[in-house]
């Protein structure tokens, strides 16, 4: 029945890095708070784990991470130097 299907869906798990592809940035932006620090228990995570969750959150919302920005800047600088 419908309730069992919903319960089965609630117990699904995903690889950490697969979350951004799970529903898409548009769905994530409409259904997630803009900042993961507002989630219960976030402050209890280790700082390194908070950083990972924050980076994942940005990816789920379709926001570029600092890592991808620096990679693009490095690639642009390398291309300019080669020209």
């Amino acid at each position: 029945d419908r309730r069992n299907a919903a319960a089965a869906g609630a117990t699904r798990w995903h690889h950490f890095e697969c979350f951004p592809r799970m529903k898409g940035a548009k769905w994530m932006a409409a259904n997630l708070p803009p900042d993961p620090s507002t989630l219960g228990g976030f402050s209890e995570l280790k700082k390194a784990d908070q950083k990972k969750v924050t980076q994942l959150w940005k990816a789920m919302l379709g926001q570029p991470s600092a890592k991808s920005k620096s990679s693009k800047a490095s690639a642009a600088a390398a291309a300019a130097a080669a020209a």
Side-chain angles (χ1 to χ4, degrees), residues 23-72:
K23 290 279 189 177
K26 185 176 180 180
W27 185 94
M28 296 290 188
N31 292 282
L32 296 179
D35 187 352
S37 66
T38 61
L39 301 173
F42 182 85
S43 63
E44 296 169 26
L45 294 173
K46 295 177 189 174
K47 293 294 180 192
D49 291 336
Q50 287 180 6
K51 185 176 179 177
K52 287 180 185 178
V53 170
T54 300
Q55 289 172 342
L56 173 69
W57 210 263
K58 287 180 180 182
M60 288 190 305
L61 296 175
Q63 301 169 355
S65 66
K67 186 177 181 180
S68 67
K69 285 181 186 176
S70 64
S71 297
K72 287 179 184 177

